[in-house]
Amino acid sequence: MEALSRQVVVAGAGIAGLTTALALAERGFSVHIFERTPGLAEVGAGLQLSPNATHILARLGVLDLLRPAAVKPEAVVLRDAATLAERTRFPLGAAAEARWGAPYLVAHRADLQSALLARVGRHPDITLSLGAAVRDVAVHRRGITASIDREGKVTEMAGALLVGADGVWSTIRGLGSVGRSRFSGRIAWRTVVRAESEAGRAFQKIAPTDVVTAFMHPSVHLIAYPVRGGGAINLVAVTAGEPMGEVWSREVDPAVLGEAMRGCAPELVRLAAEARPWTSWPLHMVEAGHPWIAPGGIALVGDAAHAMTPFAAQGAAMGIEDAAVLAHCVAARRDDMAAALADYQAARRPRVARVVRRGAFNHFTWHAGGAVAFARDRILAITPASQLVRSLDWLYGWKAPEG
Ligand SMILES: Cc1cc2nc3c(=O)[nH]c(=O)nc-3n(C[C@H](O)[C@H](O)[C@H](O)COP(=O)(O)OP(=O)(O)OC[C@H]3O[C@@H](n4cnc5c(N)ncnc54)[C@H](O)[C@@H]3O)c2cc1C
């Protein structure tokens, strides 16, 4: 019984699942991660990792493994996509690390996942099974039994807790018949170009590569920043678009993006044509108001709980925060899982909701046109950088509970 109360099953080996496994194992739990895919391929593109997430990665011994592949940008710079004029500059670099106690980094998702996997592989209390999907779960008065499907062969695993870290189209969330994901009406276009490629050199003539640059335009915004230790540049454009079903990404014709970029500076339009392959990512959201827990022993983390649009660059960061808070709550109330999970949900939902609102605000301002864009630019011109920095203390200065 004692051993069972320490056993946790995690569904999904993405950023949220791997971080949750590490955070729980650090607190004495024995964790078995089941990942549906047979191999963890290089899925995704760049991620901005703000100090609220990197301080957790540091505590879990992951940050040092990530650093060689990550870049610490000097600033976030907002530019008008039509004129390329700089509208404001939000300082990061050493100043951000000193203010918020951890670095603001940019990295490829695959490099973060590799760093997490390296740490997981060294942990004696974590087992990772690939090609094993969690298909079903029975909730008992104390604990759960998960059904694991390996190419049609189903086995069971009992534990005190099942963590659904299985992404935006979560099976675990679906078992509770709550909170379906919905298409946001937006498509993200992503590509990573080598700094030394033609497209990489074309970008360097438009903007410096030691910062995160956001180009703003009513029909598109384009974010660019270095990844892979500075050897590559991550480009993400967001436009309106049509739903594509439950697919993460698909290679697409850059001419469609070129159409959405009409009115942007010719240098940017040419860059979009030269950079390839572009993949499109339909942006799906999961309303965070549905239950994230079942008192008997299920908790959702990451996109499974609250997939959000990426306009605050916080989706993965919120999954990392979820992991730290869930582990804290479960360890603090080892003999009362229902109360621990209620604490977790109560702690996380208001913060995630605030982040979602911030993302919507960013989208509104970046896509503004006419008089609203004029007012935005005026306000940005007279707002001191120190005030912009202070306005994000609540987000970047957040610290996960210790112990
Ligand atoms: C364009 C774009 C830009 C972004 N930029 C940023 C950014 O700058 N900063 C940031 O913090 N976030 C960003 N995000 C968000 C971030 O990528 C996601 O929030 C994050 O990767 C989600 O991680 P996850 O672990 O919750 O889910 P996922 O990465 O989807 O992982 C889920 C895992 O579960 C597995 N799985 C699914 N079903 C099962 C099952 N039944 N059993 C077992 N395994 C299963 C899947 O195979 C997968 O490996 C961005 C997203 C997009 C689309």
Side-chain angles (χ1 to χ4, degrees), residues 11-16 34-37 46-48 109 132-134 165-167 171 188 190 225 236 248 283 302-303 310 313-317:
I15 306 307
F34 293 99
E35 165 56 45
R36 177 179 62 180
T37 57
L47 290 177
Q48 301 182 54
R109 177 187 180 275
V134 178
D166 51 344
T171 303
R190 303 174 102 176
Y225 52 83
V236 188
W248 248 126
L283 297 176
D303 278 11
Q314 286 292 318

PDB file of all heavy atoms in Angstrom, residues 11-16 34-37 46-48 109 132-134 165-167 171 188 190 225 236 248 283 302-303 310 313-317, ligand 1:
ATOM      1  N   ALA A  11       0.917  10.370 -18.406  1.00  0.00           N
ATOM      2  CA  ALA A  11       0.614  10.123 -19.826  1.00  0.00           C
ATOM      3  C   ALA A  11       1.191  11.268 -20.636  1.00  0.00           C
ATOM      4  O   ALA A  11       0.728  12.402 -20.528  1.00  0.00           O
ATOM      5  CB  ALA A  11      -0.895  10.039 -20.032  1.00  0.00           C
ATOM      6  N   GLY A  12       2.233  10.998 -21.442  1.00  0.00           N
ATOM      7  CA  GLY A  12       2.796  12.014 -22.324  1.00  0.00           C
ATOM      8  C   GLY A  12       4.185  12.459 -21.908  1.00  0.00           C
ATOM      9  O   GLY A  12       4.400  12.817 -20.744  1.00  0.00           O
ATOM     10  N   ALA A  13       5.121  12.406 -22.864  1.00  0.00           N
ATOM     11  CA  ALA A  13       6.511  12.811 -22.590  1.00  0.00           C
ATOM     12  C   ALA A  13       6.857  14.090 -23.339  1.00  0.00           C
ATOM     13  O   ALA A  13       7.935  14.221 -23.920  1.00  0.00           O
ATOM     14  CB  ALA A  13       7.473  11.684 -22.953  1.00  0.00           C
ATOM     15  N   GLY A  14       5.910  15.051 -23.359  1.00  0.00           N
ATOM     16  CA  GLY A  14       6.211  16.395 -23.867  1.00  0.00           C
ATOM     17  C   GLY A  14       6.866  17.197 -22.742  1.00  0.00           C
ATOM     18  O   GLY A  14       7.309  16.633 -21.727  1.00  0.00           O
ATOM     19  N   ILE A  15       6.899  18.507 -22.906  1.00  0.00           N
ATOM     20  CA  ILE A  15       7.574  19.364 -21.922  1.00  0.00           C
ATOM     21  C   ILE A  15       6.887  19.245 -20.553  1.00  0.00           C
ATOM     22  O   ILE A  15       7.553  19.102 -19.519  1.00  0.00           O
ATOM     23  CB  ILE A  15       7.560  20.849 -22.392  1.00  0.00           C
ATOM     24  CG1 ILE A  15       8.150  20.990 -23.808  1.00  0.00           C
ATOM     25  CG2 ILE A  15       8.260  21.741 -21.396  1.00  0.00           C
ATOM     26  CD1 ILE A  15       9.507  20.377 -24.005  1.00  0.00           C
ATOM     27  N   ALA A  16       5.547  19.270 -20.549  1.00  0.00           N
ATOM     28  CA  ALA A  16       4.827  19.239 -19.265  1.00  0.00           C
ATOM     29  C   ALA A  16       4.991  17.882 -18.577  1.00  0.00           C
ATOM     30  O   ALA A  16       5.220  17.817 -17.358  1.00  0.00           O
ATOM     31  CB  ALA A  16       3.348  19.549 -19.490  1.00  0.00           C
ATOM     32  N   PHE A  34       4.373   7.167 -19.715  1.00  0.00           N
ATOM     33  CA  PHE A  34       4.006   6.427 -20.930  1.00  0.00           C
ATOM     34  C   PHE A  34       3.833   7.431 -22.061  1.00  0.00           C
ATOM     35  O   PHE A  34       3.089   8.410 -21.921  1.00  0.00           O
ATOM     36  CB  PHE A  34       2.712   5.650 -20.721  1.00  0.00           C
ATOM     37  CG  PHE A  34       2.867   4.538 -19.713  1.00  0.00           C
ATOM     38  CD1 PHE A  34       2.445   4.722 -18.403  1.00  0.00           C
ATOM     39  CD2 PHE A  34       3.452   3.331 -20.064  1.00  0.00           C
ATOM     40  CE1 PHE A  34       2.610   3.718 -17.461  1.00  0.00           C
ATOM     41  CE2 PHE A  34       3.614   2.317 -19.136  1.00  0.00           C
ATOM     42  CZ  PHE A  34       3.198   2.503 -17.827  1.00  0.00           C
ATOM     43  N   GLU A  35       4.554   7.203 -23.158  1.00  0.00           N
ATOM     44  CA  GLU A  35       4.474   8.099 -24.319  1.00  0.00           C
ATOM     45  C   GLU A  35       3.963   7.301 -25.508  1.00  0.00           C
ATOM     46  O   GLU A  35       4.519   6.273 -25.867  1.00  0.00           O
ATOM     47  CB  GLU A  35       5.850   8.703 -24.605  1.00  0.00           C
ATOM     48  CG  GLU A  35       6.010   9.368 -25.963  1.00  0.00           C
ATOM     49  CD  GLU A  35       4.996  10.493 -26.265  1.00  0.00           C
ATOM     50  OE1 GLU A  35       4.750  11.329 -25.393  1.00  0.00           O
ATOM     51  OE2 GLU A  35       4.434  10.482 -27.401  1.00  0.00           O
ATOM     52  N   ARG A  36       2.927   7.846 -26.123  1.00  0.00           N
ATOM     53  CA  ARG A  36       2.254   7.166 -27.230  1.00  0.00           C
ATOM     54  C   ARG A  36       3.177   6.907 -28.425  1.00  0.00           C
ATOM     55  O   ARG A  36       3.148   5.844 -29.020  1.00  0.00           O
ATOM     56  CB  ARG A  36       1.081   8.071 -27.657  1.00  0.00           C
ATOM     57  CG  ARG A  36       0.286   7.579 -28.834  1.00  0.00           C
ATOM     58  CD  ARG A  36      -0.837   8.531 -29.117  1.00  0.00           C
ATOM     59  NE  ARG A  36      -0.335   9.869 -29.473  1.00  0.00           N
ATOM     60  CZ  ARG A  36      -1.105  10.909 -29.773  1.00  0.00           C
ATOM     61  NH1 ARG A  36      -2.413  10.782 -29.719  1.00  0.00           N
ATOM     62  NH2 ARG A  36      -0.591  12.070 -30.103  1.00  0.00           N
ATOM     63  N   THR A  37       4.014   7.897 -28.795  1.00  0.00           N
ATOM     64  CA  THR A  37       4.842   7.730 -29.995  1.00  0.00           C
ATOM     65  C   THR A  37       6.033   6.801 -29.702  1.00  0.00           C
ATOM     66  O   THR A  37       6.574   6.809 -28.600  1.00  0.00           O
ATOM     67  CB  THR A  37       5.361   9.092 -30.512  1.00  0.00           C
ATOM     68  OG1 THR A  37       6.080   9.716 -29.461  1.00  0.00           O
ATOM     69  CG2 THR A  37       4.230   9.981 -30.947  1.00  0.00           C
ATOM     70  N   GLY A  46      10.859  26.896 -32.240  1.00  0.00           N
ATOM     71  CA  GLY A  46      11.444  27.628 -31.124  1.00  0.00           C
ATOM     72  C   GLY A  46      10.476  27.847 -29.977  1.00  0.00           C
ATOM     73  O   GLY A  46       9.260  27.830 -30.153  1.00  0.00           O
ATOM     74  N   LEU A  47      11.035  28.050 -28.791  1.00  0.00           N
ATOM     75  CA  LEU A  47      10.264  28.420 -27.606  1.00  0.00           C
ATOM     76  C   LEU A  47      10.990  29.559 -26.899  1.00  0.00           C
ATOM     77  O   LEU A  47      12.214  29.517 -26.788  1.00  0.00           O
ATOM     78  CB  LEU A  47      10.184  27.258 -26.607  1.00  0.00           C
ATOM     79  CG  LEU A  47       9.361  26.029 -26.941  1.00  0.00           C
ATOM     80  CD1 LEU A  47       9.516  25.008 -25.827  1.00  0.00           C
ATOM     81  CD2 LEU A  47       7.896  26.395 -27.133  1.00  0.00           C
ATOM     82  N   GLN A  48      10.234  30.537 -26.431  1.00  0.00           N
ATOM     83  CA  GLN A  48      10.805  31.508 -25.511  1.00  0.00           C
ATOM     84  C   GLN A  48      10.569  30.966 -24.113  1.00  0.00           C
ATOM     85  O   GLN A  48       9.458  30.525 -23.806  1.00  0.00           O
ATOM     86  CB  GLN A  48      10.108  32.856 -25.668  1.00  0.00           C
ATOM     87  CG  GLN A  48      10.221  33.415 -27.080  1.00  0.00           C
ATOM     88  CD  GLN A  48       9.576  34.780 -27.212  1.00  0.00           C
ATOM     89  OE1 GLN A  48       9.893  35.701 -26.466  1.00  0.00           O
ATOM     90  NE2 GLN A  48       8.668  34.931 -28.163  1.00  0.00           N
ATOM     91  N   ARG A 109      12.421  23.648 -29.225  1.00  0.00           N
ATOM     92  CA  ARG A 109      11.679  22.738 -28.348  1.00  0.00           C
ATOM     93  C   ARG A 109      12.397  21.397 -28.226  1.00  0.00           C
ATOM     94  O   ARG A 109      12.440  20.796 -27.151  1.00  0.00           O
ATOM     95  CB  ARG A 109      10.258  22.514 -28.895  1.00  0.00           C
ATOM     96  CG  ARG A 109       9.440  21.517 -28.064  1.00  0.00           C
ATOM     97  CD  ARG A 109       8.107  21.198 -28.745  1.00  0.00           C
ATOM     98  NE  ARG A 109       7.305  20.247 -27.964  1.00  0.00           N
ATOM     99  CZ  ARG A 109       7.453  18.927 -28.040  1.00  0.00           C
ATOM    100  NH1 ARG A 109       8.371  18.387 -28.821  1.00  0.00           N
ATOM    101  NH2 ARG A 109       6.688  18.136 -27.308  1.00  0.00           N
ATOM    102  N   ALA A 132       3.666   3.528 -25.993  1.00  0.00           N
ATOM    103  CA  ALA A 132       2.698   3.035 -24.994  1.00  0.00           C
ATOM    104  C   ALA A 132       1.707   4.148 -24.696  1.00  0.00           C
ATOM    105  O   ALA A 132       2.069   5.158 -24.068  1.00  0.00           O
ATOM    106  CB  ALA A 132       3.431   2.614 -23.727  1.00  0.00           C
ATOM    107  N   ALA A 133       0.473   3.985 -25.164  1.00  0.00           N
ATOM    108  CA  ALA A 133      -0.549   5.030 -24.979  1.00  0.00           C
ATOM    109  C   ALA A 133      -1.433   4.703 -23.782  1.00  0.00           C
ATOM    110  O   ALA A 133      -1.840   3.545 -23.613  1.00  0.00           O
ATOM    111  CB  ALA A 133      -1.409   5.127 -26.231  1.00  0.00           C
ATOM    112  N   VAL A 134      -1.711   5.708 -22.972  1.00  0.00           N
ATOM    113  CA  VAL A 134      -2.701   5.526 -21.903  1.00  0.00           C
ATOM    114  C   VAL A 134      -4.073   5.670 -22.553  1.00  0.00           C
ATOM    115  O   VAL A 134      -4.392   6.713 -23.125  1.00  0.00           O
ATOM    116  CB  VAL A 134      -2.507   6.559 -20.775  1.00  0.00           C
ATOM    117  CG1 VAL A 134      -3.575   6.368 -19.703  1.00  0.00           C
ATOM    118  CG2 VAL A 134      -1.115   6.451 -20.181  1.00  0.00           C
ATOM    119  N   ALA A 165      -0.689  14.518 -19.211  1.00  0.00           N
ATOM    120  CA  ALA A 165       0.196  15.520 -19.841  1.00  0.00           C
ATOM    121  C   ALA A 165       0.212  15.233 -21.330  1.00  0.00           C
ATOM    122  O   ALA A 165       1.258  15.288 -21.971  1.00  0.00           O
ATOM    123  CB  ALA A 165       1.596  15.423 -19.240  1.00  0.00           C
ATOM    124  N   ASP A 166      -0.959  14.890 -21.861  1.00  0.00           N
ATOM    125  CA  ASP A 166      -1.026  14.347 -23.215  1.00  0.00           C
ATOM    126  C   ASP A 166      -1.519  15.362 -24.249  1.00  0.00           C
ATOM    127  O   ASP A 166      -2.111  14.997 -25.258  1.00  0.00           O
ATOM    128  CB  ASP A 166      -1.857  13.060 -23.247  1.00  0.00           C
ATOM    129  CG  ASP A 166      -3.219  13.193 -22.580  1.00  0.00           C
ATOM    130  OD1 ASP A 166      -3.426  14.158 -21.836  1.00  0.00           O
ATOM    131  OD2 ASP A 166      -4.083  12.320 -22.807  1.00  0.00           O
ATOM    132  N   GLY A 167      -1.254  16.638 -23.986  1.00  0.00           N
ATOM    133  CA  GLY A 167      -1.388  17.652 -25.018  1.00  0.00           C
ATOM    134  C   GLY A 167      -2.812  18.114 -25.308  1.00  0.00           C
ATOM    135  O   GLY A 167      -3.774  17.718 -24.651  1.00  0.00           O
ATOM    136  N   THR A 171      -6.376  12.521 -24.385  1.00  0.00           N
ATOM    137  CA  THR A 171      -7.279  11.400 -24.125  1.00  0.00           C
ATOM    138  C   THR A 171      -7.790  11.465 -22.684  1.00  0.00           C
ATOM    139  O   THR A 171      -8.965  11.212 -22.404  1.00  0.00           O
ATOM    140  CB  THR A 171      -6.523  10.062 -24.301  1.00  0.00           C
ATOM    141  OG1 THR A 171      -5.976  10.023 -25.603  1.00  0.00           O
ATOM    142  CG2 THR A 171      -7.417   8.854 -24.076  1.00  0.00           C
ATOM    143  N   ALA A 188      -0.444  29.358 -37.055  1.00  0.00           N
ATOM    144  CA  ALA A 188       0.961  29.768 -36.894  1.00  0.00           C
ATOM    145  C   ALA A 188       1.769  29.114 -38.004  1.00  0.00           C
ATOM    146  O   ALA A 188       1.626  27.920 -38.265  1.00  0.00           O
ATOM    147  CB  ALA A 188       1.487  29.332 -35.534  1.00  0.00           C
ATOM    148  N   ARG A 190       5.540  28.233 -39.136  1.00  0.00           N
ATOM    149  CA  ARG A 190       6.836  28.153 -38.454  1.00  0.00           C
ATOM    150  C   ARG A 190       7.903  27.612 -39.381  1.00  0.00           C
ATOM    151  O   ARG A 190       7.656  26.694 -40.170  1.00  0.00           O
ATOM    152  CB  ARG A 190       6.740  27.219 -37.240  1.00  0.00           C
ATOM    153  CG  ARG A 190       5.689  27.613 -36.253  1.00  0.00           C
ATOM    154  CD  ARG A 190       5.541  26.572 -35.156  1.00  0.00           C
ATOM    155  NE  ARG A 190       6.196  26.983 -33.936  1.00  0.00           N
ATOM    156  CZ  ARG A 190       6.161  26.290 -32.808  1.00  0.00           C
ATOM    157  NH1 ARG A 190       5.542  25.121 -32.759  1.00  0.00           N
ATOM    158  NH2 ARG A 190       6.771  26.717 -31.733  1.00  0.00           N
ATOM    159  N   TYR A 225      13.666  34.869 -33.622  1.00  0.00           N
ATOM    160  CA  TYR A 225      14.712  34.846 -32.579  1.00  0.00           C
ATOM    161  C   TYR A 225      15.675  33.692 -32.838  1.00  0.00           C
ATOM    162  O   TYR A 225      15.348  32.743 -33.559  1.00  0.00           O
ATOM    163  CB  TYR A 225      14.116  34.775 -31.169  1.00  0.00           C
ATOM    164  CG  TYR A 225      13.100  33.689 -30.908  1.00  0.00           C
ATOM    165  CD1 TYR A 225      13.492  32.395 -30.598  1.00  0.00           C
ATOM    166  CD2 TYR A 225      11.746  33.967 -30.945  1.00  0.00           C
ATOM    167  CE1 TYR A 225      12.546  31.403 -30.330  1.00  0.00           C
ATOM    168  CE2 TYR A 225      10.796  32.989 -30.686  1.00  0.00           C
ATOM    169  CZ  TYR A 225      11.205  31.711 -30.372  1.00  0.00           C
ATOM    170  OH  TYR A 225      10.275  30.734 -30.109  1.00  0.00           O
ATOM    171  N   VAL A 236       8.266  32.637 -36.754  1.00  0.00           N
ATOM    172  CA  VAL A 236       6.851  32.260 -36.564  1.00  0.00           C
ATOM    173  C   VAL A 236       5.987  33.396 -37.050  1.00  0.00           C
ATOM    174  O   VAL A 236       6.129  34.523 -36.569  1.00  0.00           O
ATOM    175  CB  VAL A 236       6.480  32.048 -35.074  1.00  0.00           C
ATOM    176  CG1 VAL A 236       5.077  31.465 -34.950  1.00  0.00           C
ATOM    177  CG2 VAL A 236       7.475  31.202 -34.354  1.00  0.00           C
ATOM    178  N   TRP A 248      -0.905  18.461 -35.650  1.00  0.00           N
ATOM    179  CA  TRP A 248      -0.001  19.443 -35.058  1.00  0.00           C
ATOM    180  C   TRP A 248       0.515  20.378 -36.138  1.00  0.00           C
ATOM    181  O   TRP A 248       0.488  21.572 -36.028  1.00  0.00           O
ATOM    182  CB  TRP A 248       1.183  18.726 -34.411  1.00  0.00           C
ATOM    183  CG  TRP A 248       1.209  18.815 -32.922  1.00  0.00           C
ATOM    184  CD1 TRP A 248       1.287  17.767 -32.053  1.00  0.00           C
ATOM    185  CD2 TRP A 248       1.190  19.998 -32.107  1.00  0.00           C
ATOM    186  NE1 TRP A 248       1.305  18.237 -30.768  1.00  0.00           N
ATOM    187  CE2 TRP A 248       1.243  19.595 -30.768  1.00  0.00           C
ATOM    188  CE3 TRP A 248       1.124  21.362 -32.390  1.00  0.00           C
ATOM    189  CZ2 TRP A 248       1.257  20.482 -29.709  1.00  0.00           C
ATOM    190  CZ3 TRP A 248       1.126  22.266 -31.328  1.00  0.00           C
ATOM    191  CH2 TRP A 248       1.185  21.823 -30.011  1.00  0.00           C
ATOM    192  N   LEU A 283      -3.875  26.834 -34.464  1.00  0.00           N
ATOM    193  CA  LEU A 283      -3.788  27.153 -33.031  1.00  0.00           C
ATOM    194  C   LEU A 283      -5.105  26.785 -32.344  1.00  0.00           C
ATOM    195  O   LEU A 283      -6.140  27.396 -32.617  1.00  0.00           O
ATOM    196  CB  LEU A 283      -3.454  28.632 -32.840  1.00  0.00           C
ATOM    197  CG  LEU A 283      -2.083  29.034 -33.400  1.00  0.00           C
ATOM    198  CD1 LEU A 283      -1.859  30.534 -33.270  1.00  0.00           C
ATOM    199  CD2 LEU A 283      -0.964  28.260 -32.704  1.00  0.00           C
ATOM    200  N   GLY A 302      -0.265  21.194 -18.398  1.00  0.00           N
ATOM    201  CA  GLY A 302       0.156  21.658 -19.727  1.00  0.00           C
ATOM    202  C   GLY A 302      -1.011  21.859 -20.666  1.00  0.00           C
ATOM    203  O   GLY A 302      -2.127  22.200 -20.255  1.00  0.00           O
ATOM    204  N   ASP A 303      -0.764  21.621 -21.961  1.00  0.00           N
ATOM    205  CA  ASP A 303      -1.799  21.863 -22.969  1.00  0.00           C
ATOM    206  C   ASP A 303      -3.046  21.025 -22.731  1.00  0.00           C
ATOM    207  O   ASP A 303      -4.145  21.411 -23.139  1.00  0.00           O
ATOM    208  CB  ASP A 303      -1.257  21.559 -24.374  1.00  0.00           C
ATOM    209  CG  ASP A 303      -0.447  22.715 -24.942  1.00  0.00           C
ATOM    210  OD1 ASP A 303      -0.131  23.647 -24.185  1.00  0.00           O
ATOM    211  OD2 ASP A 303      -0.127  22.683 -26.148  1.00  0.00           O
ATOM    212  N   PRO A 310      -0.257  31.250 -28.672  1.00  0.00           N
ATOM    213  CA  PRO A 310       1.116  31.501 -28.198  1.00  0.00           C
ATOM    214  C   PRO A 310       1.504  32.969 -28.082  1.00  0.00           C
ATOM    215  O   PRO A 310       2.683  33.283 -28.048  1.00  0.00           O
ATOM    216  CB  PRO A 310       1.963  30.807 -29.280  1.00  0.00           C
ATOM    217  CG  PRO A 310       1.154  30.888 -30.515  1.00  0.00           C
ATOM    218  CD  PRO A 310      -0.287  30.856 -30.090  1.00  0.00           C
ATOM    219  N   ALA A 313       3.715  33.793 -25.383  1.00  0.00           N
ATOM    220  CA  ALA A 313       4.872  32.881 -25.369  1.00  0.00           C
ATOM    221  C   ALA A 313       4.973  32.143 -24.032  1.00  0.00           C
ATOM    222  O   ALA A 313       6.044  32.069 -23.435  1.00  0.00           O
ATOM    223  CB  ALA A 313       6.157  33.655 -25.682  1.00  0.00           C
ATOM    224  N   GLN A 314       3.848  31.590 -23.577  1.00  0.00           N
ATOM    225  CA  GLN A 314       3.808  31.018 -22.232  1.00  0.00           C
ATOM    226  C   GLN A 314       3.220  29.616 -22.155  1.00  0.00           C
ATOM    227  O   GLN A 314       3.053  29.084 -21.057  1.00  0.00           O
ATOM    228  CB  GLN A 314       2.983  31.939 -21.308  1.00  0.00           C
ATOM    229  CG  GLN A 314       3.702  33.212 -20.920  1.00  0.00           C
ATOM    230  CD  GLN A 314       4.893  32.950 -20.009  1.00  0.00           C
ATOM    231  OE1 GLN A 314       4.821  32.144 -19.092  1.00  0.00           O
ATOM    232  NE2 GLN A 314       5.999  33.615 -20.273  1.00  0.00           N
ATOM    233  N   GLY A 315       2.894  28.966 -23.284  1.00  0.00           N
ATOM    234  CA  GLY A 315       2.238  27.653 -23.203  1.00  0.00           C
ATOM    235  C   GLY A 315       3.106  26.626 -22.493  1.00  0.00           C
ATOM    236  O   GLY A 315       2.663  25.958 -21.549  1.00  0.00           O
ATOM    237  N   ALA A 316       4.340  26.482 -22.946  1.00  0.00           N
ATOM    238  CA  ALA A 316       5.236  25.513 -22.317  1.00  0.00           C
ATOM    239  C   ALA A 316       5.589  25.959 -20.899  1.00  0.00           C
ATOM    240  O   ALA A 316       5.659  25.136 -19.974  1.00  0.00           O
ATOM    241  CB  ALA A 316       6.494  25.347 -23.155  1.00  0.00           C
ATOM    242  N   ALA A 317       5.773  27.268 -20.740  1.00  0.00           N
ATOM    243  CA  ALA A 317       6.117  27.797 -19.411  1.00  0.00           C
ATOM    244  C   ALA A 317       5.016  27.470 -18.400  1.00  0.00           C
ATOM    245  O   ALA A 317       5.301  27.100 -17.250  1.00  0.00           O
ATOM    246  CB  ALA A 317       6.340  29.301 -19.493  1.00  0.00           C
TER     247      ALA A 317
HETATM  248  C1  LIG B   1       3.504  28.567 -32.855  1.00  0.00           C
HETATM  249  C2  LIG B   1       3.708  28.226 -31.414  1.00  0.00           C
HETATM  250  C3  LIG B   1       4.649  28.950 -30.678  1.00  0.00           C
HETATM  251  C4  LIG B   1       4.833  28.676 -29.323  1.00  0.00           C
HETATM  252  N1  LIG B   1       5.728  29.427 -28.609  1.00  0.00           N
HETATM  253  C5  LIG B   1       5.875  29.210 -27.292  1.00  0.00           C
HETATM  254  C6  LIG B   1       6.824  29.973 -26.532  1.00  0.00           C
HETATM  255  O1  LIG B   1       7.519  30.839 -27.066  1.00  0.00           O
HETATM  256  N2  LIG B   1       6.947  29.723 -25.192  1.00  0.00           N
HETATM  257  C7  LIG B   1       6.194  28.758 -24.568  1.00  0.00           C
HETATM  258  O2  LIG B   1       6.331  28.581 -23.353  1.00  0.00           O
HETATM  259  N3  LIG B   1       5.287  28.015 -25.271  1.00  0.00           N
HETATM  260  C8  LIG B   1       5.117  28.216 -26.599  1.00  0.00           C
HETATM  261  N4  LIG B   1       4.237  27.470 -27.316  1.00  0.00           N
HETATM  262  C9  LIG B   1       3.396  26.477 -26.617  1.00  0.00           C
HETATM  263  C10 LIG B   1       4.109  25.182 -26.374  1.00  0.00           C
HETATM  264  O3  LIG B   1       4.714  24.676 -27.548  1.00  0.00           O
HETATM  265  C11 LIG B   1       3.112  24.150 -25.830  1.00  0.00           C
HETATM  266  O4  LIG B   1       2.298  24.759 -24.847  1.00  0.00           O
HETATM  267  C12 LIG B   1       3.834  22.995 -25.172  1.00  0.00           C
HETATM  268  O5  LIG B   1       4.790  22.434 -26.049  1.00  0.00           O
HETATM  269  C13 LIG B   1       2.832  21.921 -24.747  1.00  0.00           C
HETATM  270  O6  LIG B   1       3.509  20.920 -24.037  1.00  0.00           O
HETATM  271  P1  LIG B   1       2.721  19.670 -23.438  1.00  0.00           P
HETATM  272  O7  LIG B   1       3.771  18.796 -22.842  1.00  0.00           O
HETATM  273  O8  LIG B   1       1.604  20.139 -22.584  1.00  0.00           O
HETATM  274  O9  LIG B   1       2.036  18.967 -24.697  1.00  0.00           O
HETATM  275  P2  LIG B   1       2.688  18.228 -25.964  1.00  0.00           P
HETATM  276  O10 LIG B   1       3.979  18.854 -26.341  1.00  0.00           O
HETATM  277  O11 LIG B   1       1.618  18.160 -26.991  1.00  0.00           O
HETATM  278  O12 LIG B   1       3.008  16.767 -25.432  1.00  0.00           O
HETATM  279  C14 LIG B   1       2.013  15.790 -25.265  1.00  0.00           C
HETATM  280  C15 LIG B   1       2.659  14.407 -25.406  1.00  0.00           C
HETATM  281  O13 LIG B   1       1.696  13.414 -25.038  1.00  0.00           O
HETATM  282  C16 LIG B   1       1.762  12.342 -25.969  1.00  0.00           C
HETATM  283  N5  LIG B   1       0.449  11.661 -25.903  1.00  0.00           N
HETATM  284  C17 LIG B   1      -0.728  12.075 -26.441  1.00  0.00           C
HETATM  285  N6  LIG B   1      -1.712  11.216 -26.110  1.00  0.00           N
HETATM  286  C18 LIG B   1      -1.163  10.252 -25.331  1.00  0.00           C
HETATM  287  C19 LIG B   1      -1.661   9.110 -24.647  1.00  0.00           C
HETATM  288  N7  LIG B   1      -2.974   8.785 -24.701  1.00  0.00           N
HETATM  289  N8  LIG B   1      -0.810   8.334 -23.923  1.00  0.00           N
HETATM  290  C20 LIG B   1       0.519   8.641 -23.864  1.00  0.00           C
HETATM  291  N9  LIG B   1       1.060   9.716 -24.499  1.00  0.00           N
HETATM  292  C21 LIG B   1       0.225  10.529 -25.206  1.00  0.00           C
HETATM  293  C22 LIG B   1       2.063  13.029 -27.295  1.00  0.00           C
HETATM  294  O14 LIG B   1       2.601  12.113 -28.222  1.00  0.00           O
HETATM  295  C23 LIG B   1       3.080  14.094 -26.831  1.00  0.00           C
HETATM  296  O15 LIG B   1       4.409  13.593 -26.827  1.00  0.00           O
HETATM  297  C24 LIG B   1       4.062  27.678 -28.686  1.00  0.00           C
HETATM  298  C25 LIG B   1       3.154  26.905 -29.431  1.00  0.00           C
HETATM  299  C26 LIG B   1       2.979  27.169 -30.788  1.00  0.00           C
HETATM  300  C27 LIG B   1       2.002  26.359 -31.585  1.00  0.00           C
END
